[in-house]
Amino acid sequence: RSQEESPALALKKLEKFLANVRNNHYKKAVKTTCLPARVAPPHSAGAKTGSPRTVWFIRHGARLDVSDPEWLKTAGRRHDTPLSPEGVIEAQDVGRRLVREKIDHIFSSPFLRAVETAHRCAEALGLPIKIENGLAECFFTKWFPYCPDFIPTLELIQQFPKVDGSYVSVEYPVYPETNEEMMARTKR
């Protein structure tokens, strides 16, 4: 954002961008996109007030189910797609790009493709990954005919040692979920 732009305006622009992403208006243009947004700091104990923070939103890399539809035939968790080989390279590229930035925390959706992407960034940055269930996509019944389950945290830690097993998620999506419910949880 420009120096003259208020945090409220920056957030409004970010919400519009994310709405377009959800509505598939950007399709390939947002694949593994780094989107910086300057936002006001949270008003919590220990937080410095008055100084903005930069929040980077990183979309996961390319999914295996898109590059290899045969994967779905043997998938144990059809909704929890891993990255394709191309997606792994994209995630590594993003990690290398973010090394130039001051990054304090990495939060990830519990979906495998998001954790894999975050892990590649965490390796490059030397930071742990906090699995935040509230960052999961909307649990629409048209996308998920049943409540999605995720790889348990202990298993994630075995696969991705950068996952912080002590972090406790702040939000938990409900199933089924409406767009309004998803918007409310992502604002908290």
Side-chain angles (χ1 to χ4, degrees), residues 60-68 71-72 75 77-84 110-116 144 150-151:
H60 58 76
R63 297 163 41 148
L64 185 59
D65 62 335
V66 174
S67 66
D68 180 13
W71 175 84
L72 288 171
R77 289 183 167 92
R78 295 173 52 92
H79 63 275
D80 203 11
T81 310
L83 295 179
S84 68
F111 282 96
L112 179 58
R113 57 194 172 268
V115 176
E116 281 186 277
F144 302 104
F150 302 104
I151 297 173

Side-chain angles (χ1 to χ4, degrees), residues 12-77:
K12 191 171 192 165
K13 285 181 176 180
L14 179 61
E15 286 175 354
K16 183 177 179 183
F17 174 83
L18 293 174
N20 283 329
V21 170
R22 278 191 301 279
N23 293 327
N24 290 321
H25 291 142
Y26 287 95
K27 299 219 185 245
K28 292 194 182 267
V30 296
K31 187 185 290 183
T32 318
T33 299
C34 295
L35 175 68
R38 301 284 288 173
V39 297
H43 297 288
S44 61
K48 294 179 184 177
T49 58
S51 62
R53 297 179 183 212
T54 300
V55 177
W56 290 86
F57 290 87
I58 313 298
R59 189 178 190 277
H60 58 76
R63 297 163 41 148
L64 185 59
D65 62 335
V66 174
S67 66
D68 180 13
E70 293 295 310
W71 175 84
L72 288 171
K73 292 179 180 176
T74 59
R77 289 183 167 92

Side-chain angles (χ1 to χ4, degrees), residues 81-111:
T81 310
L83 295 179
S84 68
E86 175 190 5
V88 170
I89 292 167
E90 291 171 339
Q92 291 167 334
D93 288 346
V94 170
R96 282 191 293 275
R97 164 59 183 89
L98 291 176
V99 167
R100 299 184 299 237
E101 305 299 331
K102 182 178 179 341
I103 308 287
D104 296 319
H105 302 277
I106 298 175
F107 292 90
S108 175
S109 155
F111 282 96

